[in-house]
Amino acid sequence: MPRGPTLISSASADFDLTGHEATYRGHVRVDDPQMNLVCERLVADVPQAGGHVNHIVAETNVVMIS
């Protein structure tokens, strides 16, 4: 069964496609079918086309509900 999308919102975001990294800052919110997360800074790898994120780091005032 396919799962729904993961949505990330934040005050700002930077994408480094060469380094395959996305950095979200300020009131970061992650809404995922399996969990919700809020923090002030989140860094995630940016996978190749069709790939899946396999590494994230959430920092400062992290709250996760699964």
Side-chain angles (χ1 to χ4, degrees):
M1 173 182 244
R3 52 179 247 169
T6 298
L7 304 174
I8 301 174
S9 61
S10 64
S12 68
D14 295 309
F15 299 94
D16 177 0
L17 298 180
T18 303
H20 302 282
E21 187 174 88
T23 303
Y24 300 88
R25 292 181 186 87
H27 308 290
V28 181
R29 180 178 178 92
V30 179
D31 293 310
D32 180 88
Q34 295 180 343
M35 63 97 191
N36 293 317
L37 180 140
V38 294
C39 64
E40 286 302 313
R41 182 172 185 266
L42 183 130
V43 179
D45 69 334
V46 177
Q48 299 287 339
H52 299 281
V53 172
N54 61 19
H55 184 256
I56 65 167
V57 175
E59 299 176 333
T60 311
N61 299 326
V62 178
V63 176
M64 184 173 83
I65 300 170
S66 62

